[in-house]
Amino acid sequence: MKDCGNVTVPEKATARLLNGTTYQSTAELTCINGYRLKDGHNNNSATLEHIKCTSDGIWANSTGCEMKDCGNVTVPEKATARLLNGTTYLSTAELTCINGYRLKDGHNNNSATLEHIKCTSDGIWANSTGCEMKANNLLFNQNLSIYLSIYLSIYLSIYLSIYLSIYLSIYLSIYLSIYLSIYLLINLSFYCGNVTVPEKATARLLNGTTYQSTAELTCINGYRLKDGHNNNSATLKHIKCTSDGIWANSTGCEMKANNLLFIQNLSIYLSIYLSIYLSIYLSIYLSIYLSIYIYLSIYLSIYLSIYLSIYLSIY
């Protein structure tokens, strides 16, 4: 039986005899990491082949090995790609984030916009971290209170630094500006100011005028809360300083039920009294007026009769 001897190992491959070196024996050839069979129809998974010891006493030809090919790069969103030296094993592609974007794993570094990835031994490109929008400076559409606090802090720091430079050091001016900016940022948006006292009530601040502070409203003597369900004992209410920087609404005060009844009765009594008084007054006034009218009539008739008798006697 013919003997083929040792296998000639192709470049970038390893060989293993499975059952000797004589006729019909088989050898297994395996491409090393990062390589594939040349006749594998561009299949990166084709890395192993078997060859036979022929009747001529030589091993059958091996197709040999070639570098795996990763093909085109999958370009991440918001990025561009450029192949530096091909698409085969260990080749390099350069990925660049477009304007306004940075690498996601750039540790918040806006300058990190470029990365290199390799064609791996598996025949695929290494993963890209991708791109994300760069961190912008303070946006102009932030809450108005933040802008106001920053503006006031800068304004006050400049003003104080100029005004106090005659008396104090620069260190004190910087310290005050920082303190004021923090104070305004925390408290400016949540300051409710003085309580608007409802009519017929008094107010008392229990713990300041900032957010979550409480004010106590008390109806004055003879009045009760409007929302007290007709309870004359409901004369006190607590209201909070809200997150909007205004005090919560108060229901206000109204007259107690007993006082209302008293006033109603008083109005009835007054109307009866006035009607009686006016009727008596008018009757007296009219009687006097009629008496005077009758008296004058009698007086005039007598006067005229005397006057006429004298006149007639003369003429």
Side-chain angles (χ1 to χ4, degrees):
M1 188 178 288
K2 291 184 179 180
D3 192 315
C4 289
N6 290 329
V7 179
T8 301
V9 182
E11 191 177 1
K12 307 299 182 182
T14 59
R16 183 167 68 95
L17 297 171
L18 300 183
N19 51 3
T21 60
T22 57
Y23 177 57
Q24 290 295 334
S25 295
T26 303
E28 183 180 85
L29 302 178
T30 305
C31 295
I32 64 173
N33 198 27
Y35 287 79
R36 68 186 183 188
L37 295 177
K38 286 183 180 178
D39 67 349
H41 307 289
N42 296 323
N43 182 5
N44 286 332
S45 300
T47 59
L48 182 146
E49 71 172 333
H50 293 96
I51 58 175
K52 292 283 188 179
C53 176
T54 67
S55 60
D56 296 329
I58 58 174
W59 291 98
N61 289 330
S62 167
T63 57
C65 297
E66 65 181 359
M67 282 186 175
K68 291 182 179 180
D69 196 311
C70 290
N72 292 327
V73 180
T74 301
V75 183
E77 192 176 1
K78 307 299 181 182
T80 60
R82 183 168 68 96
L83 298 171
L84 299 184
N85 50 3
T87 61
T88 56
Y89 175 51
L90 292 180
S91 295
T92 303
E94 182 180 86
L95 301 178
T96 306
C97 296
I98 64 174
N99 193 27
Y101 288 79
R102 67 185 182 189
L103 294 177
K104 287 184 179 178
D105 68 346
H107 308 292
N108 297 323
N109 181 8
N110 285 338
S111 300
T113 59
L114 182 146
E115 71 171 332
H116 293 96
I117 58 173
K118 290 282 188 181
C119 176
T120 66
S121 60
D122 297 326
I124 58 174
W125 290 100
N127 289 330
S128 168
T129 57
C131 299
E132 64 182 1
M133 190 176 290
K134 291 182 178 180
N136 295 326
N137 294 327
L138 188 65
L139 299 175
F140 287 103
N141 60 351
Q142 286 181 331
N143 190 291
L144 181 61
S145 64
I146 297 176
Y147 277 115
L148 182 60
S149 65
I150 293 172
Y151 171 79
L152 288 175
S153 65
I154 294 172
Y155 174 81
L156 288 173
S157 66
I158 295 173
Y159 175 79
L160 288 173
S161 64
I162 295 173
Y163 180 77
L164 296 176
S165 60
I166 301 172
Y167 309 98
L168 303 174
S169 65
I170 297 175
Y171 173 81
L172 182 59
S173 174
I174 295 173
Y175 173 79
L176 287 174
S177 66
I178 294 173
Y179 174 80
L180 284 172
S181 65
I182 295 173
Y183 177 81
L184 289 171
L185 185 62
I186 295 173
N187 295 301
L188 187 60
S189 298
F190 305 108
Y191 178 74
C192 288
N194 291 328
V195 180
T196 302
V197 184
E199 192 176 359
K200 307 301 181 181
T202 60
R204 183 167 68 95
L205 297 172
L206 299 183
N207 51 2
T209 59
T210 55
Y211 177 53
Q212 290 293 346
S213 296
T214 304
E216 183 180 84
L217 301 178
T218 306
C219 296
I220 63 174
N221 195 25
Y223 287 80
R224 68 185 182 188
L225 295 176
K226 286 184 179 178
D227 66 348
H229 308 290
N230 297 322
N231 181 7
N232 285 336
S233 301
T235 60
L236 184 144
K237 185 182 179 82
H238 293 98
I239 59 174
K240 291 282 189 180
C241 175
T242 67
S243 59
D244 297 326
I246 57 175
W247 290 100
N249 289 331
S250 167
T251 56
C253 298
E254 66 181 1
M255 190 173 289
K256 290 183 178 180
N258 292 338
N259 293 338
L260 284 172
L261 182 60
F262 172 75
I263 288 177
Q264 289 174 352
N265 292 335
L266 182 61
S267 63
I268 294 171
Y269 289 139
L270 285 174
S271 62
I272 294 171
Y273 172 78
L274 287 174
S275 62
I276 295 171
Y277 174 80
L278 288 173
S279 63
I280 294 172
Y281 174 80
L282 288 173
S283 62
I284 295 172
Y285 175 81
L286 287 173
S287 63
I288 295 172
Y289 175 78
L290 290 173
S291 299
I292 294 171
Y293 178 77
I294 294 168
Y295 173 78
L296 288 174
S297 299
I298 295 169
Y299 175 79
L300 286 173
S301 62
I302 295 170
Y303 175 80
L304 287 173
S305 61
I306 295 171
Y307 178 80
L308 287 173
S309 63
I310 295 171
Y311 179 78
L312 292 171
S313 62
I314 297 172
Y315 298 99

